[in-house]
Amino acid sequence: MGVGTRVGSWRQIRRGKGDQRGHLSYFIGGLRVGVPPGPMSCLSWNCRGLGNAATVGELRNLAKKYAPTVLCVLETQIHKSRVEVLKGTLGYDNSFAVSSSGRSGGLGIFWNNKTRVEILLYSQYHIDAIVTEYGKEPWRLTCVYGDAQTTERHKTWDMLKFIKASSHLPWVCMGDFNEV
């Protein structure tokens, strides 16, 4: 992929002389967005319930195949303690989870010891963190599970606007926004 090529609706460019590190940034609808410095990977999966062995097995296979730096699971539909205990099964050292509300929602995030994840804020709809990989600059990660109720979806976007305004770090925002 060369400089200035298109990836879907994203146009990748290399920053000008002011950025000695040569970090990449993207234009989305005319808005320039930075990306985390250096190679990393994140995987977000709406698992629609982690309460059965087949789904856990599929998630374990995804984690093994792609080995993401950070793994985020959405719509776990189980208590946070059941999500957090999966860290070893998935090949991770650390985890943080938000319990579901009955059979709705629930989020979890997994990472290894070589990566520092500082959880800043969380709710039943998001986990917001600062991620620092060894020897690299920190970046912001927000895992989102948008409200399924059409009339409440504006709250997700209001929350994201608040998070964006609170930091100038490069930001990755991923998940299921429930907008389609």
Side-chain angles (χ1 to χ4, degrees):
M1 175 169 45
V3 173
T5 60
R6 286 205 174 266
V7 180
S9 61
W10 296 51
R11 182 169 57 100
Q12 185 179 33
I13 63 157
R14 200 166 279 283
R15 289 185 183 165
K17 296 176 185 173
D19 187 353
Q20 294 81 13
R21 295 183 204 157
H23 290 167
L24 297 174
S25 63
Y26 295 89
F27 281 98
I28 303 174
L31 177 66
R32 186 179 201 161
V33 181
V35 297
M40 52 65 94
S41 64
C42 295
L43 179 71
S44 175
W45 187 43
N46 183 333
C47 56
R48 297 193 175 108
L50 276 177
N52 68 63
T55 305
V56 172
E58 190 173 348
L59 181 58
R60 184 177 48 247
N61 290 339
L62 284 170
K64 185 177 180 178
K65 180 177 180 178
Y66 296 105
T69 304
V70 178
L71 172 65
C72 181
V73 291
L74 312 165
E75 202 175 356
T76 62
Q77 299 177 354
I78 57 176
H79 189 270
K80 69 179 193 167
S81 62
R82 289 185 62 198
V83 175
E84 290 172 342
V85 78
L86 293 173
K87 67 185 177 187
T89 300
L90 300 175
Y92 289 92
D93 302 316
N94 304 287
S95 62
F96 178 82
V98 177
S99 290
S100 65
S101 178
R103 298 274 301 149
S104 175
L107 302 98
I109 185 171
F110 303 90
W111 68 97
N112 282 313
N113 288 335
K114 64 182 179 180
T115 302
R116 181 173 180 255
V117 174
E118 177 186 352
I119 306 297
L120 300 175
L121 299 169
Y122 63 91
S123 72
Q124 69 185 86
Y125 299 110
H126 83 290
I127 298 173
D128 185 43
I130 294 177
V131 178
T132 308
E133 296 173 86
Y134 181 76
K136 298 179 183 172
E137 296 294 320
W139 49 278
R140 193 85 175 250
L141 171 66
T142 306
C143 299
V144 177
Y145 179 65
D147 197 309
Q149 299 296 321
T150 307
T151 58
E152 301 297 315
R153 289 183 185 157
H154 68 93
K155 292 178 183 177
T156 299
W157 297 107
D158 290 344
M159 179 252 323
L160 291 173
K161 288 177 192 174
F162 171 79
I163 289 171
K164 175 58 182 151
S166 68
S167 175
H168 295 293
L169 291 174
W171 187 31
V172 173
C173 186
M174 63 183 188
D176 182 350
F177 295 82
N178 273 324
E179 282 291 335
V180 178

